[in-house]
Amino acid sequence: TVRMALQRLNALGLVETRVGDGTYVKKFEFSDYISAAEDLFSDPKLMEDVCDFRKLIEKECAHLAALRASAAEFRELHELCDDYDAFKRNVAIPVTEADLKEMARRDCDFHAKVCLMSHNTLYSYCFTVARSTIEKYIALTLQKRLDTWEKKGVSPLEGDFRHRAILEAMEKKDFTLCDKLYDDMIDYNIEL
């Protein structure tokens, strides 16, 4: 039983067996483990699952953040919005792959901050575990929307205003509007 357990831990990369010397626990970072396994979660068929997960976690975190977050945390969220808007002002159309990746990262930073502002450790942890998959989801959704905006002659800054609107709805504790904005933003089938 112990031998089988050690083999499984070795296969997971958690321990290292040195012949004639013994078995040693390796340095373990959970985020590295998730990154190594993220390809398992990035299957295009999981788009609907990611959408459902985001709606469940992020909408609830926004509600809790509206009730629990400090004024300083809201200022930090405003700064994230300002930085993201400043970045989008300088994005050329068509958007490069590097700019798309950076937009997805900044988009995800906003949502991660909202989760932290909820002051619910488990929700924040769940978001962190799923973050790389969420970023991929955001990039796919954003690319789809950017293509539509380009055809309509709309800049990324004009087309993507919902972060700021979500922030304002949270500050006003307008949960109905906040939920609608999140649903529209997260649902990859909705053209903004």
Side-chain angles (χ1 to χ4, degrees):
T1 303
V2 171
R3 196 172 288 134
M4 283 177 50
L6 286 174
Q7 287 173 347
R8 288 182 182 169
L9 291 171
N10 206 323
L12 290 170
L14 301 176
V15 297
E16 174 184 13
T17 302
R18 298 178 194 153
V19 178
D21 194 24
T23 301
Y24 298 87
V25 176
K26 293 170 83 174
K27 183 178 178 193
F28 178 74
E29 292 287 333
F30 190 70
S31 59
D32 294 340
Y33 181 73
I34 291 298
S35 294
E38 75 181 11
D39 289 338
L40 298 172
F41 303 107
S42 60
D43 186 326
K45 292 180 281 188
L46 293 178
M47 289 286 280
E48 194 67 37
D49 292 343
V50 175
C51 183
D52 291 343
F53 174 85
R54 290 190 69 201
K55 285 181 180 180
L56 178 72
I57 296 292
E58 293 179 42
K59 286 168 53 175
E60 181 61 21
C61 283
H63 291 193
L64 292 173
L67 299 171
R68 298 177 176 173
S70 69
E73 289 173 311
F74 274 107
R75 282 193 300 276
E76 290 171 13
L77 198 56
H78 273 283
E79 288 172 14
L80 282 173
C81 284
D82 293 343
D83 291 344
Y84 190 21
D85 288 347
F87 178 81
K88 288 185 287 186
R89 276 188 207 93
N90 296 311
V91 170
I93 303 294
V95 175
T96 66
E97 189 174 326
D99 283 345
L100 178 66
K101 187 174 181 177
E102 182 62 16
M103 288 173 75
R105 186 193 65 76
R106 288 172 184 257
D107 189 310
C108 205
D109 285 349
F110 173 89
H111 298 291
K113 180 64 178 173
V114 171
C115 288
L116 285 172
M117 290 168 60
S118 74
H119 296 276
N120 183 302
T121 306
L122 190 55
Y123 284 152
S124 296
Y125 180 70
C126 288
F127 187 90
T128 300
V129 168
R131 181 171 176 140
S132 62
T133 304
I134 291 170
E135 268 190 52
K136 286 181 181 182
Y137 174 92
I138 289 170
L140 290 170
T141 304
L142 193 52
Q143 182 63 64
K144 183 177 174 181
R145 290 175 178 164
L146 285 166
D147 292 343
T148 302
W149 296 337
E150 186 178 356
K151 289 175 188 168
K152 294 179 179 179
V154 175
S155 79
L157 191 60
E158 294 172 293
D160 190 13
F161 63 88
R162 280 180 172 64
H163 290 97
R164 179 92 46 204
I166 286 170
L167 171 53
E168 290 170 2
M170 287 169 55
E171 288 177 319
K172 294 176 184 172
K173 296 178 180 40
D174 186 341
F175 300 122
T176 303
L177 177 59
C178 190
D179 286 351
K180 167 112 177 66
L181 291 165
Y182 258 107
D183 286 340
D184 291 350
M185 175 185 277
I186 292 171
D187 194 338
Y188 63 96
N189 290 314
I190 294 177
E191 285 186 16
L192 300 179

